[in-house]
C-alpha cells in the first residue's frame, strides 16, 4: 500500500503522522507511573504485578487515549496539552487491560503471552487471580483520585463489560445467525468497550460537547472491534513465534471466531465441530484446514476494514489536527499489523 509511505518531508507531512511518535511524549514513563500505582508490601505480589508492565507491550490502548485527548482538546479550545486527568485515564485503561489479561490467561490456562510465560504458569492460578484483582483495585483507586463521578461510571462500565464478555465467550449459540451477533457482542465487550469508554472519558474531561463524546466513543468502539477481528485473523495466518502466543490458540480453546464463522457458511460440515467446541481429536487441525481453504480470513479482514472506515468517518468530524490525522493513520496500522 504505497499511500502509507508518504513520509517524505512534503506538503503531506500534516497528513502523515506516526501515531507512536506523536503520543510518545505523553506516554513517557507510563509504565513507571503504573508501577508507582502498584506499590505493595509483599515482594511476590509486586513481582507479579510488574511482570507484564515491563514496557515491552505495544501500549496501543494508552496511545489511542492520549491522541484522542489531544484531538478533543484541540477541537474544543485549541489546547495542545494533555491534562493530568486525561493521562490518568490512559494509565487506568492499561491497568484494566492488563488485569483482564492476567485473568484471561487463568481462565484459558494459557502458558505464553507476549513471548514469555504467563503469570499463572510461573506463580500458579490462585496467586494469578489475586494479582489480577490487585491490579484492578489499584486502577479503581487511581480512578477515584480523578474525582469525577461521570468518569468513574464510564470506566466502571468497562470492567462490567469485560466480565460479561468473558461469560459470552464461555457460552455458545446453536443458531448460525445468532452466532455471529453473539461473536460481535463478545468482541465489543471484551476488547472494544475498553477503548471506546476510555476515549469517551478523555473527551468528557477535555470538551463539554456531548457530540464530541459520542464521536470519541464511536471511534474507539469501531477501532476496537477491527483490532480484535485482525487478532482473530492472525490466529490463523501468523506463526506462534511471531505472535508471542501459540497459533490456532482460539480453536484449541473451542472458540469459533470470525474466520471460522465465515468458513462455516462455505463448509456447513464445520457446524458439528463448532457445536462440540472442536473437542474431538483432529477437530482443531480440520477446522484450521477448512478456514484456510475458505475465504474466512479475507471476509474477516474485509469486515475489519469496514469498521476502520467507520472509525475514520467518525473522527473526521473533529477539527483537523496532527492528532486527528494520527488517529486516522492508526486505523490503517490496525489493518496492517502482523502481530
Amino acid at each position: 500500500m504505497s499511500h502509507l509511505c508518504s513520509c517524505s518531508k512534503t506538503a503531506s507531512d500534516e497528513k502523515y503522522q506516526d501515531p507512536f511518535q506523536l503520543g510518545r511524549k505523553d506516554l513517557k514513563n507510563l509504565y513507571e507511573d503504573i508501577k508507582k500505582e502498584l506499590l505493595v508490601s509483599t515482594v511476590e505480589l509486586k513481582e507479579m504485578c510488574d511482570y507484564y508492565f515491563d514496557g515491552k507491550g505495544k501500549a496501543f490502548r494508552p496511545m489511542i487515549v492520549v491522541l484522542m485527548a489531544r484531538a478533543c482538546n484541540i477541537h474544543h479550545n485549541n489546547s495542545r496539552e494533555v491534562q493530568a486527568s486525561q493521562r490518568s485515564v490512559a494509565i487506568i485503561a492499561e491497568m484494566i487491560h492488563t488485569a483482564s489479561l492476567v485473568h484471561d490467561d487463568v481462565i484459558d490456562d494459557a502458558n505464553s503471552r507476549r513471548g514469555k510465560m504467563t503469570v499463572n504458569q510461573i506463580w500458579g492460578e490462585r496467586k494469578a487471580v489475586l494479582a489480577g484483582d490487585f491490579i484492578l483495585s489499584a486502577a479503581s483507586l487511581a480512578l477515584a483520585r480523578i474525582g469525577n463521578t461521570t468518569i468513574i461510571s464510564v470506566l466502571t462500565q468497562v470492567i462490567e463489560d469485560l466480565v460479561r464478555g468473558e461469560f459470552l465467550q464461555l457460552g455458545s449459540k446453536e443458531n448460525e445467525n445468532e452466532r455471529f451477533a453473539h461473536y460481535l457482542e463478545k468482541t465489543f465487550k471484551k476488547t472494544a468497550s475498553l477503548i471506546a469508554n476510555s476515549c469517551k472519558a478523555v473527551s468528557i474531561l477535555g470538551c463539554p460537547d456531548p457530540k464530541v463524546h459520542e464521536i470519541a466513543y464511536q471511534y474507539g468502539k469501531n477501532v476496537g472491534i477491527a483490532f480484535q477481528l485482525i487478532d482473530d485473523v492472525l490466529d490463523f495466518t501468523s506463526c506462534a513465534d511471531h505472535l508471542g502466543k501459540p497459533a490456532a490458540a482460539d480453536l484449541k480453546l473451542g472458540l469459533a471466531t470470525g474466520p471460522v464463522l465465515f468458513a462455516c457458511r462455505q463448509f456447513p460440515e464445520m457446524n458439528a465441530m463448532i457445536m462440540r467446541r472442536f473437542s474431538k481429536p483432529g477437530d482443531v487441525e480440520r477446522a484450521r484446514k477448512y478456514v484456510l481453504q475458505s475465504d474466512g480470513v479475507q471476509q474477516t479482514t474485509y469486515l475489519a476494514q469496514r469498521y476502520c472506515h467507520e472509525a475514520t468517518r467518525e473522527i473526521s468530524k473533529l477539527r483537523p489536527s496532527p492528532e486527528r490525522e494520527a488517529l486516522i493513520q492508526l486505523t490503517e496500522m490496525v489493518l496492517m499489523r502482523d502481530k
Side-chain angles (χ1 to χ4, degrees), residues 20 69-70 145 235 257-258 266 322 339:
F20 289 90
R70 287 224 222 143
R145 242 183 273 127
D235 201 49
T257 56
Q266 274 169 281
K339 65 177 190 184

Side-chain angles (χ1 to χ4, degrees), residues 81-94:
E81 288 315 298
V82 173
Q83 301 166 26
S85 59
Q86 290 174 318
R87 190 172 182 279
S88 293
V89 170
I91 286 171
I92 292 160
E94 188 65 2

Side-chain angles (χ1 to χ4, degrees), residues 16-26 63 67 70 326:
Y16 182 87
Q17 292 291 345
D18 175 359
F20 289 90
Q21 278 311 114
L22 254 188
R24 195 151 280 143
K25 172 168 78 82
D26 299 308
M63 176 64 60
L67 289 172
R70 287 224 222 143

Side-chain angles (χ1 to χ4, degrees), residues 232-243:
D232 294 344
V233 162
L234 290 173
D235 201 49
F236 288 95
T237 59
S238 199
C239 67
D241 293 346
H242 200 52
L243 274 182

Side-chain angles (χ1 to χ4, degrees), residues 112-313:
S112 66
R113 154 101 49 196
R114 293 177 178 170
K116 56 186 194 177
M117 283 170 79
T118 52
V119 167
N120 41 301
Q121 278 287 308
I122 301 171
W123 287 279
E125 284 193 358
R126 293 174 188 167
K127 286 177 178 171
V129 170
L130 297 172
D133 289 344
F134 182 77
I135 295 167
L136 263 183
S137 74
S140 304
L141 265 175
L143 181 53
R145 242 183 273 127
I146 292 176
N148 179 318
T149 51
T150 309
I151 303 302
I152 292 173
S153 299
V154 168
L155 290 179
T156 305
Q157 181 64 46
V158 171
I159 301 173
E160 181 188 323
D161 284 343
L162 284 167
V163 175
R164 289 183 184 274
E166 197 59 54
F167 266 97
L168 283 171
Q169 185 164 296
L170 293 170
S172 57
K173 285 277 177 265
E174 319 262 320
N175 179 329
E176 216 178 314
N177 299 329
E178 282 177 14
R179 217 181 264 151
F180 213 93
H182 183 266
Y183 164 66
L184 287 175
E185 188 190 350
K186 177 221 74 170
T187 298
F188 169 73
K189 286 190 160 72
K190 277 199 68 177
T191 306
S193 171
L194 175 71
I195 303 173
N197 285 298
S198 308
C199 284
K200 182 179 179 178
V202 289
S203 77
I204 291 169
L205 290 166
C207 174
D209 183 357
K211 283 199 205 69
V212 172
H213 307 161
E214 185 60 18
I215 290 166
Y217 179 86
Q218 289 298 333
Y219 173 87
K221 172 183 161 179
N222 283 286
V223 162
I225 292 174
F227 184 88
Q228 188 57 47
L229 289 171
I230 296 300
D231 221 56
D232 294 344
V233 162
L234 290 173
D235 201 49
F236 288 95
T237 59
S238 199
C239 67
D241 293 346
H242 200 52
L243 274 182
K245 52 188 173 188
D250 293 333
L251 288 175
K252 288 170 192 153
L253 290 170
L255 303 180
T257 56
V260 174
L261 298 177
F262 279 121
C264 187
R265 292 175 182 179
Q266 274 169 281
F267 300 107
E269 53 270 43
M270 291 180 75
N271 246 316
M273 288 194 274
I274 293 172
M275 290 310 298
R276 61 175 179 259
R277 288 182 162 253
F278 315 106
S279 56
K280 269 196 185 167
D283 274 0
V284 169
E285 287 69 29
R286 271 177 61 215
R288 201 187 142 102
K289 264 209 342 239
Y290 276 129
V291 168
L292 296 174
Q293 275 171 28
S294 75
D295 61 1
V297 162
Q298 283 154 296
Q299 291 275 3
T300 309
T301 305
Y302 173 60
L303 186 58
Q305 279 171 343
R306 282 173 39 200
Y307 279 103
C308 281
H309 181 75
E310 186 56 26
T312 299
R313 201 181 65 79

Side-chain angles (χ1 to χ4, degrees), residues 2 4-5 76 82 131 187 228 282 309 314:
S2 56
L4 287 186
C5 303
H76 175 51
V82 173
T187 298
Q228 188 57 47
H309 181 75
E314 286 290 342

Side-chain angles (χ1 to χ4, degrees), residues 71-101:
C72 291
N73 295 355
I74 289 168
H75 179 83
H76 175 51
N77 61 5
N78 239 336
S79 155
R80 273 223 130 67
E81 288 315 298
V82 173
Q83 301 166 26
S85 59
Q86 290 174 318
R87 190 172 182 279
S88 293
V89 170
I91 286 171
I92 292 160
E94 188 65 2
M95 290 171 81
I96 293 173
H97 170 58
T98 303
S100 78
L101 296 185

